[in-house]
Amino acid sequence: MKEYIIALDQGTTSSRAILFNKKGDIVNIAQKEFQQIYPKSGWVEHDPQEIWSSQMAVFTEVLTKSKTKLESIKGIGITNQRETTVVWNRRTGEPIYNAIVWQDRRTADYCAQLIKDGHLEKVQEKTGLLIDSYFSATKIKWILDHVKGARKLAERNELAFGTIDSWLIWNLTNGEKHVTDVTNASRTMLYNINDLSWDKDLLKLFDIPESLLPEVKSSSEVYGETSTELGSRPIPIAGIAGDQQAALFGQMCLKKGMAKNTYGTGCFLLMNIGNKPVKSENKLVTTIGWKIGKEVVYALEGSIFIGGAVVQWLRDELKIIKKSSDIEALATSVEDTDGVYLVPAFAGLGAPHWDPNARGTIFGISRGTTDAHIARAAIESIAYQTHDILKAMEADSNTKIKELRVDGGATQNQFLLQFQADILKSTVVKPKITETTAMGAAFLAGLAVGFWKDLEELQALWQEDKRIESNKSMKLAKNLEEWKRAVNAVIYWSNHS
């Protein structure tokens, strides 16, 4: 009988299930989108029950499509959108409010007040994070403060909090297991990444009872089994990692100094910094990469809010291309941008600037500027933003990055990958299987149940598809100076409004 590992990849806009075989190949994929809820400007919510039902639907679909019986599934790995916050009733299993999504900004003013009151240093020291509404702590506090009767229920130990991994496992085990792993815990702004425990001082600061919180486990172990309500045979749930850490692991960035960039709607860069946390002096966050056995690996992370989304903007709003894949031909129809720089700060600037008030701007337009120059400037902006974060990572970690492993939709664009290699003066490597997030979750689960023996066996499964070397003859120092000037002008504009 053939044996498989299944990865449940619960993302921001869709739930997916991916079946992997022993060689690390994808056997089948099922995907289902779910509703995005926007109750007010800056608020983003999901229905937790819809997340659960969509995840179960794709789980069943992938088995049906590949004609696979439950007996063939040796383990389940879970990877999830991070920071998204669910609070539910332990007795009924019902959420007391919608899931508040990582993108949600409703607690931004409260976060600004915490910074003003001088809490930033303490929070960063303990959690590796900057105070921001992005993380879970202020979302939990908001639910407890705004849902009628929530605080009373919490004081009576009747409520449970979880990121999406915890919510899925609670349901998969029919309420028997309330757990998370270190990677998700490290995104809550409540978890001390130095001593690996929920932090009493931070729980007091945010007024959150500890009884709400899940038990924190490693990223690769058997947490429990699926309840028999889901099928005749229980399956071990054996791997958990937040999506970006799962991608770092799936890209086999196992050595200190190895880094990956996921080019999605935004871009997420993570760099393995070894077994000790490093405090960022450049507005990056320090996070836990994974924990296997007793070994904890830490990572530096930087987020770019607008990556591939800049191409969607050219397609949907400016309508200068019909489909996203048209961008490459248009951009390469001109030799350069003719001095045009596009700073895509549509949702503010992420790392290493963290300016929420910044807005998108195009500089250097002349009478001769065409749609091709703007298209080329848009693609280059993704590479420039990546460059800025990687340079900050090199400074924080005191480690030079030799190669950047890449995944995500925009890696189809050859021009982007070549320009990225040139601007970094470093090698860009694209793997054969770009579903690295799901692959990371599958690898973690497979290790725990002995489906794969060890890290060496996993490394042998990871294969590169393309290696893009930097073109050393490219003189790009002036371009970087002009890019920096453009970003500084955007920041000046946002601070002088």
Side-chain angles (χ1 to χ4, degrees):
M1 188 174 69
K2 284 187 177 168
E3 296 181 338
Y4 305 101
I5 295 285
I6 198 164
L8 302 183
D9 181 354
Q10 206 299 302
T12 310
T13 56
S14 71
S15 297
R16 303 190 314 152
I18 304 183
L19 203 59
F20 288 90
N21 66 16
K22 201 90 169 158
K23 291 179 184 166
D25 295 328
I26 291 172
V27 177
N28 228 311
I29 298 182
Q31 180 166 359
K32 190 173 169 60
E33 291 192 358
F34 54 85
Q35 192 191 2
Q36 306 294 305
I37 303 162
Y38 306 104
K40 289 184 187 177
S41 173
W43 291 29
V44 191
E45 295 176 2
H46 293 154
D47 174 353
Q49 298 290 22
E50 192 187 358
I51 285 178
W52 165 239
S53 62
S54 65
Q55 193 65 75
M56 275 305 91
V58 291
F59 179 82
T60 310
E61 188 190 332
V62 85
L63 293 179
T64 309
K65 277 201 317 197
S66 52
K67 298 186 171 60
T68 302
K69 290 192 165 69
L70 281 176
E71 288 74 37
S72 301
I73 307 298
K74 294 295 142 195
I76 296 172
I78 293 174
T79 181
N80 54 289
Q81 51 163 319
R82 302 172 306 169
E83 298 95 17
T84 295
T85 297
V86 188
V87 177
W88 65 93
N89 186 304
R90 287 181 185 277
R91 209 165 29 82
T92 65
E94 292 291 321
I96 65 165
Y97 189 77
N98 274 340
I100 301 182
V101 181
W102 58 273
Q103 299 151 314
D104 189 282
R105 305 297 298 168
R106 77 186 66 187
T107 61
D109 290 346
Y110 173 58
C111 289
Q113 190 57 50
L114 287 169
I115 294 167
K116 207 171 159 191
D117 293 346
H119 294 293
L120 184 62
E121 189 71 26
K122 177 173 79 175
V123 169
Q124 191 182 5
E125 205 65 58
K126 287 169 176 282
T127 67
L129 308 176
L130 303 167
I131 292 178
D132 196 89
S133 58
Y134 180 29
F135 305 111
S136 313
T138 61
K139 301 179 195 298
I140 304 169
K141 179 176 164 53
W142 189 93
I143 291 172
L144 293 179
D145 289 346
H146 290 84
V147 174
K148 200 177 171 197
R151 281 230 169 258
K152 274 209 173 73
L153 287 170
E155 281 156 21
R156 295 205 302 262
N157 301 346
E158 286 181 34
L159 295 184
F161 149 74
T163 40
I164 296 298
D165 56 308
S166 298
W167 169 242
L168 292 178
I169 291 171
W170 174 276
N171 284 291
L172 283 165
T173 61
N174 201 19
E176 264 187 40
K177 297 290 174 187
H178 184 211
V179 298
T180 189
D181 88 305
V182 286
T183 69
N184 282 293
S186 76
R187 312 297 295 186
T188 58
M189 218 156 63
L190 296 170
Y191 191 69
N192 191 314
I193 64 169
N194 307 293
D195 61 22
L196 305 180
S197 65
W198 295 117
D199 193 282
K200 301 256 189 294
D201 292 346
L202 296 177
L203 289 167
K204 195 174 169 189
L205 175 65
F206 295 108
D207 196 13
I208 295 167
E210 194 167 354
S211 63
L212 246 73
L213 306 175
E215 186 185 351
V216 184
K217 303 278 204 173
S218 78
S219 312
S220 178
E221 64 178 274
V222 176
Y223 312 103
E225 293 183 324
T226 56
S227 76
T228 47
E229 288 174 28
L230 299 174
S232 54
R233 183 187 164 275
I235 304 167
I237 304 160
I240 310 173
D243 53 11
Q244 299 311 322
Q245 290 100 321
L248 187 70
F249 191 74
Q251 283 277 33
M252 289 285 99
C253 292
L254 302 179
K255 293 195 179 84
K256 191 176 172 179
M258 292 180 81
K260 72 91 196 173
N261 190 14
T262 299
Y263 296 83
T265 305
C267 294
F268 291 90
L269 281 95
L270 273 81
M271 176 190 189
N272 181 330
I273 53 169
N275 304 120
K276 287 197 173 70
V278 171
K279 187 185 172 192
S280 174
E281 303 299 333
N282 292 285
K283 297 186 178 174
L284 302 174
V285 302
T286 308
T287 200
I288 296 177
W290 58 80
K291 182 185 180 199
I292 297 172
K294 295 261 185 284
E295 191 191 22
V296 180
V297 169
Y298 292 88
L300 280 172
E301 177 177 328
S303 311
I304 294 165
F305 298 149
I306 302 293
V310 72
V311 177
Q312 293 165 348
W313 175 70
L314 295 179
R315 182 193 67 197
D316 301 340
E317 271 70 42
L318 293 198
K319 296 184 171 33
I320 66 173
I321 49 172
K322 278 212 164 67
K323 50 187 195 297
S324 295
S325 55
D326 297 341
I327 186 91
E328 190 168 5
L330 181 61
T332 52
S333 69
V334 287
E335 268 180 39
D336 54 38
T337 66
D338 195 27
V340 173
Y341 288 84
L342 192 167
V343 182
F346 305 152
L349 281 169
H353 311 288
W354 289 104
D355 186 342
N357 302 315
R359 286 297 170 261
T361 315
I362 303 175
F363 295 94
I365 297 175
S366 70
R367 184 71 180 79
T369 299
T370 66
D371 55 357
H373 293 117
I374 290 169
R376 191 175 176 113
I379 294 177
E380 289 186 2
S381 76
I382 301 171
Y384 286 131
Q385 291 177 97
T386 300
H387 168 276
D388 292 351
I389 290 181
L390 282 182
K391 292 300 151 194
M393 283 180 172
E394 287 182 345
D396 277 338
S397 65
N398 210 10
T399 310
K400 185 95 179 80
I401 291 165
K402 295 184 187 70
E403 65 173 40
L404 177 65
R405 295 191 169 183
V406 300
D407 54 75
T411 57
Q412 303 302 320
N413 190 313
Q414 290 312 300
F415 168 67
L416 169 63
L417 297 187
Q418 187 60 59
F419 189 75
Q420 189 71 80
D422 294 342
I423 210 89
L424 290 173
K425 292 193 173 63
S426 153
T427 307
V428 167
V429 181
K430 183 182 171 185
K432 273 209 169 124
I433 294 178
T434 54
E435 291 286 357
T436 53
T437 304
M439 201 168 183
F443 281 174
L444 289 164
L447 270 182
V449 295
F451 189 74
W452 292 296
K453 198 167 79 235
D454 51 27
L455 293 176
E456 282 69 37
E457 187 179 353
L458 293 180
Q459 273 177 298
L461 298 177
W462 186 91
Q463 293 175 307
E464 69 179 50
D465 177 41
K466 283 196 178 82
R467 176 170 284 267
I468 298 108
E469 301 295 347
S470 171
N471 182 347
K472 299 287 192 278
S473 63
M474 290 283 281
K475 303 276 187 284
L476 293 169
K478 179 88 166 70
N479 297 51
L480 282 166
E481 267 174 48
E482 292 293 279
W483 164 257
K484 201 171 172 183
R485 200 156 71 97
V487 170
N488 288 340
V490 165
I491 292 168
Y492 181 85
W493 170 271
S494 89
N495 291 331
H496 291 79
S497 56

